[in-house]
Amino acid sequence: KDQVFQPSTVASSEGAVVEIFCNHSVSNAYNFFWYLHFPGCAPRLLVKGSKPSQQGRYNMTYERFSSSLLILQVREADAAVYYCACLRDTGFQKLVFGTGTRLLVSP
Amino acid sequence: GAGVSQSPSNKVTEKGKDVELRCDPISGHTALYWYRQRLGQGLEFLIYFQGNSAPDKSGLPSDRFSAERTGESVSTLTIQRTQQEDSAVYLCASTGGGNSYEQYFGPGTRLTVT
């Protein structure tokens, strides 16, 4: 079954580096996508790809079946839900989302 | 348009009524997805349209749910005989295809069934 797994909650302190881990069982999936979602707003793509990459404070690690999102110098304003998704690349290509990780940031 | 739009932004309906939710994707985007997000839960895939291909309906939770899309334009998600457990935020996303596959999300429709 095509599934993406990520922890339901991650807690951190301001200024730290936060890691949110994701792995999948999606057939023929080679690309990861990390989205940020503040409730009431549209989810926003942070970083994506099939290799390690960085966009500002957001780093993405890459392994064949897993990826981590690293948020550098985390702030209280980063508290939100982070979604990992994989692109199933078999004919009918489709993004398969995880259930989201709620990031808690303490001062 | 500048982005994906959805309407209405909020909908309150009585149990048993039918509702229609609308999504206007980014012009030219070939793929369109509908998701549901219940309170405190993650994104739940509902249905996926890709061009003129038959849609992937594997995520629709029951036969009370249906969606239509004409070509590469507007999509409507219809929920018949709404139940309280249908209360959620319904999100729409579109993708331009090619090698990007980045999904651009709309702001969602918050549905409350009383």
Side-chain angles (χ1 to χ4, degrees), chain B residues 7-114:
Chain B
S7 61
S9 54
N10 281 284
K11 176 71 176 179
V12 180
T13 190
E14 292 180 354
K15 178 181 172 181
K17 301 277 189 181
D18 298 351
V19 294
E20 255 190 22
L21 311 180
R22 177 187 170 108
C23 173
D24 284 86
I26 292 173
S27 178
H29 276 193
T30 57
L32 186 149
Y33 297 72
W34 282 99
Y35 297 92
R36 177 171 72 177
Q37 185 182 31
R38 289 171 160 154
L39 186 64
Q41 299 186 22
L43 289 176
E44 178 186 0
F45 166 76
L46 296 178
I47 188 169
Y48 166 41
F49 296 91
Q50 173 61 61
N52 293 317
S53 302
D56 177 354
K57 303 180 182 180
S58 60
L60 294 178
S62 78
D63 59 7
R64 295 187 296 105
F65 287 73
S66 62
E68 291 185 353
R69 186 185 190 199
T70 304
E72 296 178 358
S73 61
V74 170
S75 176
T76 55
L77 176 70
T78 302
I79 309 173
Q80 296 178 310
R81 305 181 302 281
T82 52
Q83 304 294 314
Q84 286 187 329
E85 63 261 27
D86 299 334
S87 296
V89 175
Y90 289 82
L91 288 159
C92 172
S94 69
T95 301
N99 293 322
S100 171
Y101 299 107
E102 176 180 349
Q103 290 193 356
Y104 294 82
F105 282 84
T109 294
R110 180 175 297 280
L111 175 66
T112 304
V113 182
T114 60

Side-chain angles (χ1 to χ4, degrees), chain A residues 11 14 27-28 32 40 45-46 49 61 76-77 93-94 96 99:
Chain A
E14 267 199 314
S27 57
N28 292 290
F32 285 90
L45 181 68
L46 294 174
T61 68
E76 281 193 82
Q93 292 157 326
K94 185 175 88 174
V96 181
T99 52

